[in-house]
Amino acid sequence: MDSQVSQAYHRDVSKWALLSRQEERTLASKARRGDAEARERLICANLRFAMMIAAKYRGFVKDHGDIVQAANVGLILAVDKYKPSHKVRLISYARFWISEMIRQMITTERNMVHIAVGAGGKLRTALNNGYEGGTEGVEPRVA
């Protein structure tokens, strides 16, 4: 996410008013009963907190936008799991889910094997032709 896009997103997210404990509880109760508008308001009002948590992970992957997206997914998951009867505020509850989604995304990104397009095609052809692995009959090449 380039800095202009990031700044614009931060500006948009900051427009949403923070919720009082009572507003949060009321909206959470409505959201649990299926009120989509209440759910959306809970999510939007807490996006800035998700961004703050995501900022702590800046530099772990190339595109910070991926981290922000994972944070947003964590927030949505937390809103869907949150119960108004919890004795904590939503964002305290959501911190775990936001961080967990970010960590999963970073782990997936770091463990991903990147194969060049040409090499991927050769590998696919070899596998389709019955290649099962091994190096018998393969001449070593010196670069």
Side-chain angles (χ1 to χ4, degrees):
M1 177 182 281
D2 69 4
S3 65
Q4 286 181 334
V5 172
S6 179
Q7 288 172 357
Y9 183 72
H10 186 63
R11 229 180 2 260
D12 289 345
V13 163
S14 298
K15 290 178 184 176
W16 287 92
L18 298 177
L19 301 172
S20 70
R21 182 180 295 270
Q22 187 55 46
E23 288 174 311
E24 184 176 280
R25 228 174 234 188
T26 301
L27 289 170
S29 293
K30 289 179 180 180
R32 297 261 318 154
R33 291 191 302 267
D35 185 332
E37 286 182 33
R39 179 179 178 266
E40 182 178 347
R41 182 135 182 256
L42 279 171
I43 292 167
C44 291
N46 287 285
L47 283 171
R48 73 180 81 192
F49 296 116
M51 279 189 63
M52 288 170 48
I53 295 168
K56 294 177 182 176
Y57 292 88
R58 186 179 294 277
F60 281 85
V61 295
K62 282 190 241 178
D63 187 3
H64 182 66
D66 291 342
I67 293 175
V68 171
Q69 184 175 6
N72 292 344
V73 169
L75 174 60
I76 292 167
L77 183 62
V79 165
D80 290 343
K81 290 179 173 284
Y82 182 73
K83 295 178 184 163
S85 61
H86 287 319
K87 302 287 185 210
V88 298
R89 297 287 304 261
L90 171 61
I91 196 58
S92 297
Y93 177 78
R95 181 179 298 275
F96 167 79
W97 292 106
I98 293 168
S99 297
E100 183 62 23
M101 290 298 106
I102 292 171
R103 284 192 294 271
Q104 283 183 19
M105 187 277 305
I106 290 170
T107 301
T108 301
E109 173 111 353
R110 287 195 172 169
N111 291 335
M112 204 177 287
V113 177
H114 299 282
I115 299 175
V117 173
K122 291 177 185 174
L123 176 62
R124 195 174 312 104
T125 300
L127 293 173
N128 287 340
N129 289 333
Y131 177 74
E132 294 178 3
T135 58
E136 300 83 34
V138 175
E139 294 294 319
R141 290 191 332 184
V142 178

